[in-house]
Amino acid sequence: SKQAATNNQINIQSGTNMAVAISPDKSTLVFDLMGQLWMMPYGGGEAQAITDKFGNARQPNWAPNGQKIAFQAYWTGNWQIYTINKDGSGLQQLTDGPYDHREPVWSVDGQQILYASDETGNYDIWSFDLSSQKTDNLTNAPYNQYAPTINPKGGFAYVDDDPSDSGIKQNTGEGVAILYATEAIPTAPSWNKDGSLISFLTEDGLVFLNPKTKEGNPTILKASEEDLFPFPLQWMDEGNFLYTADGKIKKGNLQGEVPLTIPFEINVSLDRPTYQAKKRLFDAAQELPIKGLFMPRLSPDGKEVALIMLKDLWIRKADGSLQQLTNDPFVEMAPVWSPDQTQLAYTSDRSGQLMIYLRNLETGQESKLTTPNSAVSGLAWSPDGQKIAYSISYGPRMGRLFYVRLETGETQAVGGVISSSVGAPSWSPNSEILAVSTLEQYSTRYREGVNGVLYFNIENQKSYRLGGLPHFSIGVRTYNGPEWSPQGDYLAAISASRLWLVPVSEQGQNQGDPIPLTEELADAPSWSADGQKLLYLNNDQLKLIDIESKEIIDLPIEMKRQRVTPSNRKLIQAGYLFDGIQKEWQINQDILIENNRIVQILPRATSNLQLVDTVIDATEQYVMPSLIDGHSHQGSWEGEKLGRTWLAWGVTATRDPASDPYDALNRKEAQEAGRALGPRIFFTGSPFDGSRIYYGGANALQDETQLELELERAKILDYDMIKTYVRLSDPLQKRIVEAAHEIGIPVSSHELYPAATFGIDGMEHILGTSRRGYSPKMTNQNKTYQDVISLIAQSGISFAPTTGIYVSYNYLLAQDPSLLEDPKVKALMPIFNLQSAKQGIDQVKQNPEKWENDFQNAMQMVKSVHDQGGWVVAGTDSPIIPYGFSLHLEVQAYAAAGIDPFSVLQTATINAAKVLQAEEDLGSVEVGKLADLIILNADPTDDLKNLMQIDQVCINGEMITIESLLKAN
């Protein structure tokens, strides 16, 4: 298949979360929309762009003389302050470097620009002097101070988020005074023209405060009556102002009169190229390479490698032969060697939850050690042989270190809970200090940062950070560093996708610049006991580097795999067949399956039962395509039960837009080889993000060489897609889209514009994380306007709304809590998911009107995209909400929005198959397609809840009863 080429022009007359500014002579407006600055006369009309579409230009502010405009933009991959002449000429970049600079405003005399910057570790107010070109730090506090606004009478005001003293403050040059104190931090302060009032936005609406009397009038612009956008008012004089709300530019006044709408229109061109999609292969083939080399670990003598392949534990011996240590349906992870090389520790869920196991390599005997009972990031055996440390990640926002003493079995927590997911630990040579990668934020205002090193002394429980490398991001917080050398003089780490040595002291403090060891892509480093060799992964190859000579030796894996398909003929006698293409049910149809594909669909009386091996009687049931979750994140840490859970909910394919590629391949290859049960896996690796990241698994993009290495990895590891994330600049995103299309795979993102104009294939989430501090796709009231709707619907990109994580999952459960009584929920849903669901129901009950409004607004966006011909794909963003179950709630939400049942079912079948570029094989029940389907006990077109009444699921031609999937192995 090929992506359809479009070269359309979209006329836009309303926008989402745009900011406006008016020239000093009140003749001209400039506003930002979709990341460009647009100019038009004050009276309205057609606006013309004065910046290109790649800068993500935002929050314009006019110079006092009316000749220039200051704004923030993102051309460089960080927010910088720029000025531009009002005719679009003379673009000038004022700030630079790895920090973010936002929210520029001109001084009264036009000689300075004030802005907020995170250069000092939190946001402070800075000034840029236009004559000297120098900057000055005007505030410096332990908490964030931002959103400056100039008082015409002198000084400036700003927002301060100090938890003990938050609100709007004023700096007069002689001191700081609190203007408005509140726990709920306000936003967007703005002085009027004579300094007699300051306005700002609260949850209730806009407040107009007299700074002398401290009296305010919040009743003029109410959030309950208008969808107010989060930007400062633009005062025309003492009592009249411009603002943006409800998708429009409006003129208001202090008398509370009906605001005047100033009309605008802009024209956006789409020029989307075609490309040849990569053909997916699903049928049996011989001699396929194994690429899912997961968590490899070098033995102390530097001759052997322990690793996970096909979901089992293996050792690659010194002579290249392979020894398989486990052979079961369960998950194994994180192998580590004992210092004397007589034992291996690893984690497995064979007892029903992840536990640490010890294996004696001579006798093969094993024992359980302890119960981490959560997502293990990695293990580390102490050099003294007496302890095993392990790290736990409690989702993306928390992690913790533990160690267990082998002699007593006693488990000890190390330090407190860490405010991010954490990587695998590493011991100091004296077995007293643990090093681990954690997130280091640039500020507490925004969550992004780099992956740094945190140390814990296990005796005194004190922690400290690796200093001296403020922008050196280490790996992805899994098992790729830091790895402390046995002699203690280096940390081995992956940064910018290459292997480095960081010189350190005995306590782990930086002793010099990092030393590059490889120019090629590297991952998963581990040391030999003498400190002379490092093992690493280079795409799908194991390699060993000699530290002194830099000689690199390949360690090939001499084993192949093959896809397994059944070898028989089955006949499903369907009472009612919904093929996913036609709206009507077909009555009394027989579906003939040979091996793993559908070869005939015939009326009941014409089938020859003597030619089949098995007949499945579904004469009183409903047969339809199985489901596809179009957006879900998963990994081996979920255990063996994950595969059964997906299938039990009728899901036979999943699209994972951000994953550990080696883990995803490990699971995918095991399932294709018949060694594990679960859905088809369509995957990518780490998202292509900018120099700042948040999630564990995210790789900070630090230079263009790294970009090319990661694109090469995508090709070699045979990614099914690429996802670009929110801190990536638009110019680099365009380069990634072009490179992905060259190898035939699609690109998806949170970012809509300009990506939709140059060929991005998919959009994730109705809302989603944004680098701006607000969403360009949806407002605080869950409303979306024409710019977003038209771009999604008319560009031809796919749209996975994932409404459940924002509003629909909790809302629908509150309407019908009995959904949690489904036997599949009771048998397969983790207890924490069940507890979270009940808490969500309680939240809805506490404020039903707000939840109702938010639900209706969010679902209106999805329905509007659908009604305009958009390509809606059901996805969940699980495990934020439960695997499988939440997909059913997602499609129920689409039905509640008023989308017809046929179209709703297509969002989780053929629409999703098209996103996978696998619509020739999946997504419908048709001759020639793979036999992936479900048998239901009730009609889902009567009620989407009936889609949960699954009796059997067929994947790749294999029939599986739901009853069997509910039983633990």
Side-chain angles (χ1 to χ4, degrees):
S1 64
K2 290 186 177 182
Q3 176 182 322
T6 60
N7 190 0
N8 303 324
Q9 191 169 77
I10 300 176
N11 181 265
I12 294 172
Q13 299 181 37
S14 69
T16 307
N17 279 345
M18 56 186 182
V20 67
I22 187 167
S23 62
D25 65 5
K26 304 182 183 63
S27 67
T28 309
L29 296 182
V30 61
F31 59 99
D32 67 50
L33 185 57
M34 303 185 305
Q36 283 184 267
L37 296 187
W38 304 84
M39 193 81 72
M40 73 176 184
Y42 167 67
E46 183 175 349
Q48 302 298 321
I50 62 169
T51 61
D52 70 31
K53 64 184 181 182
F54 294 99
N56 199 8
R58 301 278 172 177
Q59 297 184 241
N61 189 269
W62 283 89
N65 64 9
Q67 298 304 304
K68 287 181 178 290
I69 297 158
F71 61 99
Q72 66 182 60
Y74 204 74
W75 280 289
T76 68
N78 284 94
W79 289 111
Q80 307 294 351
I81 306 300
Y82 293 81
T83 60
I84 194 169
N85 295 331
K86 64 181 182 180
D87 63 359
S89 65
L91 179 67
Q92 184 178 3
Q93 181 178 339
L94 304 186
T95 60
D96 200 359
Y99 299 102
D100 278 346
H101 311 89
R102 304 174 184 249
E103 305 154 343
V105 292
W106 293 83
S107 62
V108 174
D109 61 8
Q111 297 302 305
Q112 293 183 319
I113 293 175
L114 271 61
Y115 60 95
S117 171
D118 62 7
E119 191 167 338
T120 56
N122 269 315
Y123 273 86
D124 289 303
I125 309 301
W126 290 67
S127 67
F128 183 92
D129 188 279
L130 293 162
S131 58
S132 69
Q133 302 285 293
K134 292 182 179 180
T135 61
D136 188 18
N137 189 188
L138 303 182
T139 69
N140 194 346
Y143 296 97
N144 297 298
Q145 300 177 324
Y146 54 92
T149 178
I150 303 294
N151 188 338
K153 295 181 178 178
F156 60 93
Y158 54 90
V159 176
D160 191 321
D161 70 5
D162 183 338
S164 63
D165 191 26
S166 62
I168 304 293
K169 295 182 179 179
Q170 176 171 271
N171 186 319
T172 63
E174 298 178 355
V176 175
I178 186 81
L179 294 179
Y180 180 78
T182 176
E183 290 185 10
I185 299 169
T187 57
S190 179
W191 286 103
N192 71 349
K193 288 294 185 179
D194 64 2
S196 61
L197 288 177
I198 186 170
S199 62
F200 48 88
L201 192 63
T202 68
E203 291 182 354
D204 296 324
L206 273 158
V207 172
F208 298 85
L209 182 76
N210 184 318
K212 291 184 178 179
T213 65
K214 302 295 173 63
E215 293 179 356
N217 181 358
T219 62
I220 295 172
L221 295 176
K222 295 180 179 179
S224 60
E225 297 175 356
E226 292 185 89
D227 186 14
L228 300 168
F229 296 170
F231 307 108
L233 293 190
Q234 299 296 304
W235 291 90
M236 301 179 68
D237 50 43
E238 289 78 5
N240 295 285
F241 49 82
L242 296 180
Y243 65 105
T244 52
D246 302 325
K248 303 295 184 181
I249 300 170
K250 298 185 178 185
K251 177 186 176 183
N253 57 67
L254 293 176
Q255 284 70 47
E257 297 171 356
V258 176
L260 170 71
T261 295
I262 301 174
F264 70 86
E265 60 178 295
I266 65 173
N267 292 296
V268 175
S269 295
L270 301 175
D271 185 11
R272 295 172 56 78
T274 60
Y275 68 96
Q276 184 65 48
K278 181 178 72 174
K279 174 65 177 174
R280 268 64 177 179
L281 301 176
F282 300 100
D283 299 302
Q286 301 296 322
E287 299 295 298
L288 294 169
I290 293 177
K291 297 183 178 183
L293 310 180
F294 187 39
M295 292 185 163
R297 193 79 183 182
L298 186 63
S299 63
D301 67 6
K303 297 179 180 179
E304 298 182 342
V305 179
L307 75 162
I308 308 298
M309 294 188 300
L310 303 175
K311 290 185 75 175
D312 282 314
L313 177 62
W314 301 71
I315 292 178
R316 184 194 185 276
K317 310 295 282 187
D319 62 1
S321 63
L322 293 166
Q323 179 186 4
Q324 185 173 3
L325 301 185
T326 64
N327 185 6
D328 55 44
F330 302 104
V331 163
E332 275 84 49
M333 288 195 300
V336 291
W337 300 85
S338 63
D340 62 8
Q341 206 166 314
T342 63
Q343 298 183 83
L344 271 177
Y346 65 97
T347 63
S348 175
D349 70 330
R350 69 178 63 127
S351 299
Q353 58 186 343
L354 281 172
M355 293 188 179
I356 298 174
Y357 286 80
L358 295 182
R359 181 183 183 94
N360 185 302
L361 293 174
E362 184 176 343
T363 66
Q365 291 184 333
E366 293 195 342
S367 59
K368 286 186 291 189
L369 186 61
T370 189
T371 308
N373 197 25
S374 193
V376 178
S377 304
L379 307 181
W381 208 311
S382 63
D384 63 13
Q386 299 176 8
K387 302 175 285 291
I388 292 178
Y390 59 93
S391 53
I392 297 290
S393 289
Y394 308 103
R397 295 177 177 85
M398 291 189 295
R400 198 168 191 184
L401 290 181
F402 299 84
Y403 70 90
V404 56
R405 294 188 182 276
L406 297 177
E407 186 176 351
T408 64
E410 173 194 5
T411 297
Q412 175 70 51
V414 180
V417 174
I418 301 165
S419 58
S420 77
S421 62
V422 294
S426 180
W427 288 97
S428 62
N430 61 11
S431 301
E432 294 178 357
I433 301 171
L434 282 169
V436 67
S437 60
T438 66
L439 179 68
E440 292 184 21
Q441 292 172 259
Y442 276 86
S443 78
T444 55
R445 185 182 178 192
Y446 299 108
R447 68 185 192 177
E448 291 86 4
V450 296
N451 292 327
V453 179
L454 184 63
Y455 296 104
F456 286 93
N457 186 303
I458 67 168
E459 298 302 324
N460 61 26
Q461 294 286 303
K462 290 184 178 179
S463 64
Y464 55 96
R465 287 202 171 273
L466 170 67
L469 300 171
H471 311 295
F472 186 79
S473 193
I474 292 178
V476 294
R477 299 206 303 276
T478 53
Y479 50 95
N480 46 18
E483 285 288 332
W484 215 322
S485 68
Q487 288 67 40
D489 48 353
Y490 294 110
L491 297 179
I494 305 301
S495 185
S497 301
R498 281 98 79 188
L499 178 59
W500 304 72
L501 294 180
V502 179
V504 292
S505 67
E506 185 178 331
Q507 298 299 311
Q509 290 297 3
N510 181 37
Q511 298 290 292
D513 292 336
I515 303 165
L517 283 186
T518 67
E519 295 181 1
E520 64 184 2
L521 183 141
D523 215 329
S526 58
W527 291 94
S528 61
D530 61 8
Q532 296 304 303
K533 297 182 179 67
L534 269 171
L535 176 77
Y536 66 94
L537 259 175
N538 168 235
N539 295 313
D540 57 347
Q541 303 293 319
L542 291 173
K543 297 195 175 184
L544 195 65
I545 185 170
D546 185 279
I547 300 302
E548 289 188 6
S549 69
K550 304 298 188 294
E551 180 188 4
I552 297 174
I553 301 172
D554 292 338
L555 303 179
I557 297 293
E558 301 292 350
M559 188 173 77
K560 302 294 182 180
R561 64 180 181 92
Q562 64 181 112
R563 298 188 188 95
V564 174
T565 60
S567 180
N568 55 33
R569 290 166 65 89
K570 300 181 181 70
L571 188 75
I572 300 177
Q573 297 178 318
Y576 305 89
L577 171 62
F578 173 74
D579 64 12
I581 303 299
Q582 304 175 69
K583 285 190 175 183
E584 297 78 18
W585 289 94
Q586 301 172 57
I587 310 300
N588 294 330
Q589 298 291 303
D590 286 353
I591 306 162
L592 180 61
I593 300 169
E594 185 171 329
N595 301 334
N596 65 333
R597 289 191 178 267
I598 299 168
V599 295
Q600 284 185 324
I601 300 175
L602 302 168
R604 178 69 36 79
T606 60
S607 301
N608 188 344
L609 301 184
Q610 295 179 341
L611 299 180
V612 300
D613 302 303
T614 306
V615 176
I616 295 94
D617 182 1
T619 53
E620 302 297 324
Q621 295 172 300
Y622 300 80
V623 179
M624 64 169 284
S626 54
L627 306 181
I628 300 170
D629 190 320
H631 186 126
S632 173
H633 304 284
Q634 52 205 289
S636 291
W637 57 83
E638 300 290 348
E640 169 273 340
K641 187 168 71 172
L642 175 62
R644 291 189 289 116
T645 299
W646 281 123
L647 296 180
W649 289 107
V651 179
T652 62
T654 60
R655 171 176 173 265
D656 189 338
S659 56
D660 180 326
Y662 301 102
D663 183 29
L665 276 168
N666 166 51
R667 292 180 290 113
K668 178 178 183 177
E669 291 172 352
Q671 288 166 12
E672 289 183 346
R675 301 178 63 85
L677 189 64
R680 303 179 191 277
I681 295 172
F682 294 80
F683 78 103
T684 186
S686 297
F688 281 70
D689 208 352
S691 61
R692 301 184 182 194
I693 45 87
Y694 172 68
Y695 287 108
N699 204 344
L701 187 61
Q702 294 171 272
D703 54 46
E704 292 201 21
T705 298
Q706 179 186 5
L707 175 62
E708 298 305 320
L709 291 175
E710 289 294 340
L711 289 170
E712 179 187 37
R713 173 163 26 199
K715 183 176 182 179
I716 292 173
L717 296 189
D718 200 23
Y719 286 7
D720 294 298
M721 63 166 292
I722 284 175
K723 180 180 179 180
T724 60
Y725 209 56
V726 296
R727 291 286 307 198
L728 186 73
S729 69
D730 295 320
L732 287 182
Q733 186 177 49
K734 187 173 186 292
R735 163 72 187 116
I736 290 167
V737 168
E738 292 167 349
H741 289 177
E742 287 173 7
I743 59 175
I745 62 174
V747 180
S748 189
S749 181
H750 287 206
E751 296 293 313
L752 177 59
Y753 187 86
T757 71
F758 56 65
I760 203 164
D761 302 271
M763 170 60 46
E764 309 300 320
H765 312 302
I766 55 173
L767 190 58
T769 309
S770 167
R771 58 180 171 246
R772 300 155 195 85
Y774 56 88
S775 172
K777 295 186 292 188
M778 181 169 278
T779 70
N780 287 335
Q781 293 190 18
N782 280 20
K783 292 183 179 180
T784 297
Y785 297 94
Q786 186 216 343
D787 57 335
V788 175
I789 301 296
S790 294
L791 272 170
I792 294 175
Q794 296 183 38
S795 64
I797 64 175
S798 65
F799 176 41
T802 67
T803 64
I805 60 172
Y806 304 107
V807 62
S808 67
Y809 180 74
N810 286 346
Y811 176 82
L812 291 177
L813 282 179
Q815 312 312 306
D816 186 3
S818 70
L819 293 172
L820 294 172
E821 299 301 315
D822 189 292
K824 298 184 289 297
V825 170
K826 294 183 175 182
L828 297 170
M829 186 183 291
I831 186 65
F832 71 87
N833 279 141
L834 193 58
Q835 292 170 343
S836 176
K838 292 177 179 178
Q839 291 169 359
I841 292 171
D842 290 340
Q843 291 173 12
V844 177
K845 289 180 177 179
Q846 290 169 13
N847 197 347
E849 184 177 350
K850 181 182 186 304
W851 279 88
E852 174 71 23
N853 289 336
D854 286 348
F855 176 78
Q856 296 298 338
N857 289 341
M859 299 317 301
Q860 182 58 51
M861 174 193 184
V862 180
K863 188 172 188 300
S864 295
V865 170
H866 168 76
D867 289 350
Q868 292 188 27
W871 174 10
V872 179
V873 178
T876 59
D877 212 12
S878 53
I880 297 176
I881 47 182
Y883 293 110
F885 175 64
S886 61
L887 183 63
H888 288 265
L889 274 290
E890 183 74 11
V891 296
Q892 289 176 31
Y894 301 164
I899 300 176
D900 65 279
F902 169 72
S903 297
V904 170
L905 291 175
Q906 285 196 317
T907 68
T909 53
I910 192 64
N911 286 10
K914 291 176 181 177
V915 170
L916 303 177
Q917 295 185 333
E919 66 270 28
E920 294 180 5
D921 297 281
L922 298 172
S924 61
V925 181
E926 296 181 90
V927 171
K929 289 201 171 184
L930 290 162
D932 285 15
L933 47 86
I934 50 179
I935 300 175
L936 306 173
N937 291 323
D939 184 351
T941 61
D942 282 346
D943 185 343
L944 259 296
K945 293 178 184 178
N946 290 340
L947 190 59
M948 299 172 68
Q949 296 194 38
I950 305 165
D951 180 58
Q952 295 186 66
V953 61
C954 182
I955 178 171
N956 206 42
E958 295 281 7
M959 298 299 306
I960 308 171
T961 65
I962 299 306
E963 183 182 7
S964 68
L965 291 168
L966 301 188
K967 297 176 182 178
N969 282 299

